[in-house]
Amino acid sequence: MASRILHLAAAKLILDEHPAADEKRFRLGSILPDAGERVSAHFRVRIDGGTKTMMALGGFRARFADKMDDPLYLGYYLHLVQDIVFRKVFYLDHGWKVDSPQKVERLYDDYRILNTWAIEKFALREDLTAPEDFSAEPICAVSDFALPEFLAELHADFTTPPPPGDCVYFTKAIAEEFLTAAVPLCRREIAALREGKTAVDERAWAWEARQEPNLSTPCEPS
């Protein structure tokens, strides 16, 4: 999925048009799913008899209906929206396939190179800390979140020099393509949520299921 830094870049662009009452809380929410478990924290479920995987956006909205005005939960929810856009752009449009460990390691180098680019381009700030009462947040019932360790890794994103060379698989052009697609969709979704609607057809964004051993029992959303 998209890196922490790209999610923060998306959050900044969203906040430029839709300011939040607590921008730090929104930005923390915008990266929080990646501090949790891969499946549960991202609301992944199986649909269509287990043949497809979907981000259960409707499930999130139903579970946290009274929290969608909270910047942390709105940021979290929009992270999920961004992830389904990323999957389409990178996996489908650009044909990314996980063929070897070496290829994945090279992809992480691309992420590190792009971190420096995105931090500078979007003037991102490293000022996020774990709330003292975070364990009391209702979102913590969804997944185990290793937030202190995750924020230490975020610090490394800001301070570690990029590896030499240019991006190979995930390039600046693809990163910009992702942001160009994801940010307007998130803005439309915010507008729709304010009217009690959604602009995202979660089923239309579902993808063919692969072996994901941690995925919950196949289920059909209501």
Side-chain angles (χ1 to χ4, degrees):
M1 294 292 103
S3 68
R4 291 178 287 260
I5 295 298
L6 279 185
H7 280 296
L8 287 177
K12 186 175 189 299
L13 293 172
I14 293 166
L15 287 168
D16 286 344
E17 187 169 305
H18 296 281
D22 186 333
E23 292 195 355
K24 281 188 179 180
R25 191 166 168 83
F26 180 85
R27 288 190 286 121
L28 179 61
S30 74
I31 60 173
L32 184 57
D34 290 341
E37 296 158 348
R38 176 171 173 265
V39 173
S40 61
H42 288 80
F43 283 73
R44 294 186 180 188
V45 297
R46 289 272 175 83
I47 62 171
D48 295 346
T51 62
K52 289 186 176 182
T53 304
M54 180 184 78
M55 297 281 198
L57 301 178
F60 185 98
R61 294 193 305 272
R63 183 164 184 169
F64 299 109
D66 62 340
K67 291 286 188 180
M68 294 303 291
D69 288 334
D70 183 320
L72 180 79
Y73 291 79
L74 179 60
Y76 193 114
Y77 175 77
L78 294 179
H79 174 114
L80 305 181
V81 174
Q82 293 160 31
D83 272 357
I84 61 176
V85 174
F86 181 89
R87 173 172 286 277
K88 177 185 181 299
V89 169
F90 195 43
Y91 284 74
L92 298 183
D93 297 348
H94 289 275
W96 166 258
K97 291 182 174 60
V98 181
D99 299 324
S100 69
Q102 295 79 13
K103 192 174 178 181
V104 173
E105 185 57 37
R106 177 61 244 189
L107 177 65
Y108 284 124
D109 281 346
D110 290 350
Y111 279 176
R112 295 180 186 106
I113 293 169
L114 289 174
N115 283 346
T116 299
W117 164 79
I119 288 167
E120 294 175 356
K121 179 177 178 65
F122 300 103
L124 302 181
R125 302 191 307 276
E126 190 212 352
D127 58 354
L128 298 179
T129 56
E132 291 183 3
D133 58 348
F134 177 71
S135 62
E137 290 284 353
I139 195 67
C140 290
V142 167
S143 175
D144 291 326
F145 293 95
L147 192 52
E149 296 85 352
F150 182 73
L151 291 176
E153 294 171 357
L154 178 65
H155 174 75
D157 291 341
F158 276 85
T159 57
T160 303
D166 297 323
C167 296
V168 175
Y169 298 116
F170 190 55
T171 64
K172 293 177 185 177
I174 296 175
E176 290 177 328
E177 183 180 343
F178 158 69
L179 291 171
T180 298
V183 171
L185 180 59
C186 287
R187 289 170 174 165
R188 292 196 299 274
E189 182 67 353
I190 291 173
L193 291 172
R194 289 173 176 171
E195 297 181 357
K197 302 176 183 178
T198 179
V200 185
D201 181 351
E202 59 190 9
R203 280 184 165 271
W205 292 87
W207 61 95
E208 295 300 318
R210 293 179 295 174
Q211 291 300 317
E212 296 177 280
N214 295 324
L215 198 56
S216 57
T217 302
C219 63
E220 296 287 346
S222 58

